[in-house]
Amino acid sequence: MPYLVTVAGSRIPLRRGQSYSIGRGMDCDVVVEDAAASRRHAALSVARTSDAVFLEDCGSRNGTFVNGEPVTSRIALREGARIQVGGSIFLVRLKEREEERELSDTGTVAFDQGTFVQDLDGGELTRYGLVELLKLVFNAQRNVTVQVALATEHAKIEVRAGEVLHAECGGLQGFNALVKLGRQGSGIFWLVETEQPCDRNINEPFVRLLSELQRCLAPSATHGPQGPAPRL
């Protein structure tokens, strides 16, 4: 079954043959509490005989965006698409993986006392924190691109075989990008499985990288006198 993931990590199921209105109006199926959203901002619909999901803007004042591009007509949504309505972002999942069916419908998997979960797929960045998220991916030994949608920009981290190889965030690259991302107050992330090679801008082993990142993200380091994060 297709569903939406909110920045808070909750899931909104989308049933076949149904339509869903998105907007600020309390009569909408998905209510967005955001002054930048119109009362009836956008509409989703699901095909009757498949999991195809379609989106259209309903003449909203500020527009509807998918992956940063304005929606000007009814479009089919791809797996992992980001819908932006006002300041709210939703992640589109077209099909629930078999191993996800035991997870709670009210959020993504939780991180608990150092354990890891191999079927983590996305959620709210601040629910985990960047350091704990990287630990989860490291322990699971997954080859992924960690995509992160922030309020005003986008970030991504390339992880292969337990090593962080590449990071970028708001024009920054490498370790400094990780520090900037780790200091963000909000954001939604999702993992895209990939075997594709990437340009490497981080060369440090994971353990040292994580230790240095924790040091830079400590409260005393955030506004401390040492200046910008070092480039590793």
Side-chain angles (χ1 to χ4, degrees):
M1 176 190 298
Y3 59 91
L4 300 180
V5 181
T6 72
V7 289
S10 60
R11 298 182 179 192
I12 303 171
L14 303 174
R15 303 185 184 282
R16 289 185 178 182
Q18 299 292 317
S19 296
Y20 301 86
S21 56
I22 306 174
R24 187 165 42 87
M26 296 306 295
D27 58 339
C28 287
D29 299 299
V30 181
V31 178
V32 177
E33 297 180 357
D34 186 340
S38 299
R39 295 189 63 83
R40 183 178 173 85
H41 196 108
L44 286 167
S45 58
V46 186
R48 292 184 180 275
T49 58
S50 71
D51 288 333
V53 179
F54 302 90
L55 173 71
E56 59 184 318
D57 182 75
C58 296
S60 64
R61 182 174 68 255
N62 294 315
T64 303
F65 298 83
V66 172
N67 297 335
E69 298 295 327
V71 175
T72 57
S73 61
R74 186 172 182 261
I75 62 171
L77 296 174
R78 290 186 173 187
E79 169 70 19
R82 303 186 313 277
I83 301 173
Q84 182 174 349
V85 172
S88 299
I89 297 176
F90 301 89
L91 172 66
V92 178
R93 296 287 289 177
L94 294 182
K95 190 172 183 180
E96 190 171 32
R97 297 187 320 208
E98 187 72 25
E99 62 267 27
E100 289 175 331
R101 294 180 180 173
E102 300 301 320
L103 300 181
S104 168
D105 287 337
T106 60
T108 55
V109 294
F111 180 82
D112 181 39
Q113 297 180 348
T115 61
F116 69 91
V117 215
Q118 295 192 15
D119 51 9
L120 174 74
D121 60 48
E124 187 181 10
L125 182 63
T126 51
R127 179 177 176 183
Y128 298 86
L130 180 60
V131 170
E132 301 303 344
L133 174 59
L134 292 177
K135 285 181 183 178
L136 287 174
V137 178
F138 170 79
N139 286 332
Q141 293 289 297
R142 293 173 65 178
N143 297 323
V144 298
T145 299
V146 183
Q147 301 279 2
V148 187
L150 304 170
T152 60
E153 55 198 9
H154 183 74
K156 71 176 182 178
I157 306 170
E158 302 286 356
V159 182
R160 303 289 186 275
E163 294 294 338
V164 179
L165 303 184
H166 180 97
E168 56 185 71
C169 178
L172 295 180
Q173 300 281 329
F175 184 74
N176 283 341
L178 291 176
V179 174
K180 180 175 183 179
L181 181 56
R183 290 175 177 170
Q184 297 298 316
S186 62
I188 185 170
F189 74 88
W190 61 99
L191 309 186
V192 180
E193 301 285 346
T194 179
E195 298 288 343
Q196 295 295 321
C198 62
D199 295 330
R200 187 162 191 166
N201 58 27
I202 295 176
N203 294 299
E204 293 302 312
F206 180 80
V207 173
R208 184 185 172 197
L209 174 70
L210 201 65
S211 175
E212 192 66 21
L213 185 59
Q214 287 176 313
R215 183 186 69 80
C216 289
L217 294 179
S220 60
T222 303
H223 303 289
Q226 64 268 32
R231 291 186 178 276
L232 294 184

